Amino acid sequence: SLYLEVPVFGSRRGGIPEILVYDELLFNLSINDIVNKIKYIIQVGNLNMFKNLVIKRKKEFSFNWGKKVINTISSKKIGI
């Protein structure tokens, strides 16, 4: 979902909090908390806020291997 920029929320259990990190994207494992989170999300403006948090988290997970390799090589002095 992060890479497709789909607003997502998940439980505070397992590894999910480490992935989503934002309190707004997490819920406790109870029916009431899930229902309240869904109601909160569908309020006007909140869906865009959720999408922006997902986009922000996606950027934090993005890694450009090509750029990293080039930077590493160019920062080293290569002796022949």
Side-chain angles (χ1 to χ4, degrees):
S1 295
L2 293 176
Y3 284 95
L4 296 175
E5 299 178 0
V6 173
V8 63
F9 67 103
S11 74
R12 296 183 190 281
R13 298 287 185 168
I16 295 172
E18 286 78 19
I19 299 294
L20 297 179
V21 300
Y22 302 110
D23 191 57
E24 296 88 347
L25 301 178
L26 300 169
F27 62 87
N28 294 316
L29 291 176
S30 74
I31 296 298
N32 287 337
D33 206 41
I34 294 169
V35 168
N36 289 334
K37 186 62 70 171
I38 291 170
K39 287 179 180 178
Y40 179 77
I41 292 169
I42 62 175
Q43 290 175 2
V44 176
N46 288 343
L47 186 58
N48 286 333
M49 182 267 303
F50 268 71
K51 185 171 182 174
N52 289 335
L53 288 176
V54 167
I55 290 169
K56 182 177 177 182
R57 192 64 179 141
K58 173 187 169 184
K59 288 178 184 175
E60 293 169 356
F61 275 114
S62 296
F63 187 81
N64 185 333
W65 280 102
K67 183 177 179 182
K68 181 71 173 171
V69 169
I70 290 170
N71 287 344
T72 300
I73 292 170
S74 65
S75 69
K76 307 283 183 193
K77 291 187 178 185
I78 302 174
I80 298 178

